[in-house]
Amino acid sequence: PPGAHQDPPAAHQRSIAPSLPTSTMSQTVFNVEMSCSGCSNACTRILNKIDGVSNVQADLDGQKITVSHASSVDPKVMLAALQKWATN
């Protein structure tokens, strides 16, 4: 009948799906007492060895380390690595 809803032909149907990122990045900030560039370099080296860590920024003046990493990286693993370094 006129005005009745008709489904479009199959050729005009489109599949719509959300685009999901392949990996989600996270950022974690640690407060770390660092007295010199040797300390900040050591922390950077230690954290860069962890799988999934993509960037480490040490702020010697601010006594902070900012780590960019995959969301699958557990911050506790990074903290444990820093604590191990601090006790040596």
Side-chain angles (χ1 to χ4, degrees), residues 30-49:
F30 295 98
N31 296 317
V32 181
E33 280 188 45
M34 300 174 285
S35 56
C36 65
S37 62
C39 294
S40 62
N41 289 339
C43 291
T44 300
R45 269 194 319 276
I46 289 164
L47 292 168
N48 273 321
K49 289 180 182 179

Side-chain angles (χ1 to χ4, degrees), residues 21-82:
T22 54
S23 69
T24 305
M25 295 302 290
S26 296
Q27 197 172 66
T28 303
V29 178
F30 295 98
N31 296 317
V32 181
E33 280 188 45
M34 300 174 285
S35 56
C36 65
S37 62
C39 294
S40 62
N41 289 339
C43 291
T44 300
R45 269 194 319 276
I46 289 164
L47 292 168
N48 273 321
K49 289 180 182 179
I50 299 172
D51 279 343
V53 169
S54 59
N55 188 38
V56 179
Q57 299 256 335
D59 176 4
L60 192 56
D61 293 332
Q63 299 288 290
K64 293 185 186 300
I65 295 179
T66 303
V67 185
S68 298
H69 56 88
S71 60
S72 60
V73 177
D74 186 347
K76 292 177 188 172
V77 171
M78 295 183 285
L79 179 61
L82 289 172

